[in-house]
Amino acid sequence: MERIIFYILAAVTVIGTLCAITARQAVRAIVYLVTSFFALALIFYLLGAPFVAALEVIIYAGAIMVLFLFVIMMVEVASPEKLAKPALSDWWPALALVLVVVASLTVLVAGQAPPVPGAGAQTVRQFSQVLFTRYGVAIELVSMQLLFALVGALYLGRRR
Amino acid sequence: MTIPLYEVLILASILFAMGLACVVAWRANVIMMLIGIEIMLNAVMLTFVGGSAHWGIAEGQVFSLMIMALTSAEVSLALAMVAYLHRRKQSVDTDDFSSMKG
């Protein structure tokens, strides 16, 4: 049952991302990407990470995508001409890279036995205990990094 | 654990390859390049969460949280830079920012 749900969600994610990277306008790409991120959040939930799933919806599909939409609308109101869509010749190197990645993946899957699974799923309680005891310094570093990003964005965005 | 690790890894690498294709194919547009980077970082997060579920340890989820914080910092700075560049040259085309002839 879980595997069927996983396959459906994987199909939604892949198709949404595919529509996003081939969309004609950037706003449509963002909307497709929000769909893809919702499906990805459900995959995280299936994999036993409900906290990461909630943060994926809140931060990715909520905050970051709205930030993208805000900047895209600001840019397109100021200069409404269409951006150049990549020509067919631009897609060839991308297709070559995709083929390399997929071929190496096939070699990986065909060549090895699956690794031994460990014990049990993680509850949010265990996750937060690990996060705030063993990785407390990392939490402090991340908060400093977010503060620096805030100051940098304010500096770049001010009017002179 | 009912979802095999390899299927999660296959989905993550397909997502990563599509993000890479987005960055390479849309290299004339700054915003679409940023979207490609977002897709790639999501694929990496899926890899971490899949490993965390497979081996039953919480470190993968911790690192996906770190990646999420890194992404929000990176996106806020990069979009501020896009707004700044658009204010200077009224464009988000990377070919317009070639004054250093690099």
Side-chain angles (χ1 to χ4, degrees), chain B residues 2-102:
Chain B
T2 52
I3 302 170
L5 177 65
Y6 273 159
E7 296 181 358
V8 178
L9 284 185
I10 287 172
L11 175 64
S13 24
I14 289 172
L15 279 181
F16 188 87
M18 283 199 293
L20 195 62
C22 183
V23 173
V24 172
W26 285 90
R27 59 186 178 275
N29 188 341
V30 182
I31 294 176
M32 289 303 283
M33 281 170 71
L34 283 176
I35 289 175
I37 292 172
E38 292 300 304
I39 298 171
M40 283 197 279
L41 283 168
N42 259 286
V44 176
M45 275 176 52
L46 180 61
T47 310
F48 272 120
V49 172
S52 166
H54 187 264
W55 279 288
I57 49 176
E59 269 84 355
Q61 298 184 26
V62 172
F63 272 91
S64 64
L65 201 70
M66 300 291 157
I67 291 176
M68 213 176 271
L70 180 143
T71 310
S72 47
E74 173 249 336
V75 160
S76 60
L77 269 183
L79 285 179
M81 199 168 287
V82 167
Y84 175 72
L85 290 177
H86 180 259
R87 207 158 62 218
R88 283 189 57 151
K89 294 232 173 149
Q90 306 296 315
S91 163
V92 290
D93 195 340
T94 45
D95 292 336
D96 290 341
F97 302 107
S98 58
S99 55
M100 286 181 75
K101 308 292 179 202

Side-chain angles (χ1 to χ4, degrees), chain A:
Chain A
M1 186 62 195
E2 284 184 15
R3 290 184 68 164
I4 297 172
I5 298 176
F6 174 74
Y7 292 144
I8 295 172
L9 289 172
V12 170
T13 309
V14 169
I15 292 171
T17 311
L18 201 63
C19 289
I21 69 175
T22 54
R24 203 172 295 118
Q25 299 168 354
V27 178
R28 290 185 191 175
I30 293 294
V31 174
Y32 283 128
L33 216 56
V34 168
T35 314
S36 158
F37 284 165
F38 269 112
L40 201 61
L42 282 176
I43 288 177
F44 287 161
Y45 190 82
L46 273 186
L47 287 172
F51 186 65
V52 180
L55 279 187
E56 170 92 11
V57 172
I58 293 171
I59 294 183
Y60 265 101
I64 293 181
M65 288 301 122
V66 170
L67 198 64
F68 265 105
L69 269 186
F70 184 70
V71 170
I72 288 169
M73 286 180 178
M74 195 178 75
V75 165
E76 284 191 351
V77 163
S79 58
E81 80 274 9
K82 284 280 176 60
L83 283 165
K85 201 169 156 50
L88 201 61
S89 61
D90 286 342
W91 284 100
W92 289 118
L95 275 182
L97 280 173
V98 169
L99 278 184
V100 166
V101 171
V102 171
S104 55
L105 182 76
T106 315
V107 170
L108 171 77
V109 171
Q112 299 201 349
V116 188
Q122 292 289 312
T123 62
V124 180
R125 183 185 298 268
Q126 287 167 313
F127 165 67
S128 45
Q129 270 175 356
V130 170
L131 181 64
F132 284 109
T133 54
R134 206 179 305 163
Y135 294 98
V137 181
I139 293 293
E140 295 298 324
L141 282 179
V142 160
S143 59
M144 295 280 279
Q145 177 196 26
L146 287 174
L147 179 67
F148 295 156
L150 176 68
V151 174
L154 273 179
Y155 177 74
L156 280 175
R158 67 177 177 165
R159 298 217 171 263
R160 294 190 178 85

